[in-house]
Amino acid sequence: MARLPEANVEGTPFKKALANAPEILDAFQQMDKALNQILEPEIMEMLRLRSASNNGCDY
């Protein structure tokens, strides 16, 4: 599987990979901000864990 280089930005490895396409990183950050405004932190963490599990990713 090909790997994307990690851009020199602050954040998680996922955000560093997204930074290779700034418009995608911006859209992701907007979505993340909106979700954090309406969902409790515990729910957000459960969503992250479920997404990681569904994608076979060790989170």
Side-chain angles (χ1 to χ4, degrees):
M1 175 201 266
R3 294 189 177 257
L4 293 172
E6 289 186 357
N8 190 20
V9 296
E10 190 174 323
T12 65
F14 181 69
K15 286 184 181 179
K16 290 179 180 188
L18 287 181
N20 285 289
E23 63 281 357
I24 293 175
L25 176 60
D26 183 51
F28 174 79
Q29 289 177 319
Q30 288 179 38
M31 178 195 69
D32 192 55
K33 182 179 177 182
L35 288 173
N36 279 305
Q37 290 174 351
I38 62 171
L39 297 176
E40 297 174 10
E42 295 83 8
I43 301 295
M44 284 296 294
E45 187 62 15
M46 285 193 291
L47 288 170
R48 289 183 189 101
L49 290 169
R50 174 57 66 189
S51 295
S53 175
N54 288 351
N55 290 297
C57 176
D58 293 331
Y59 177 69

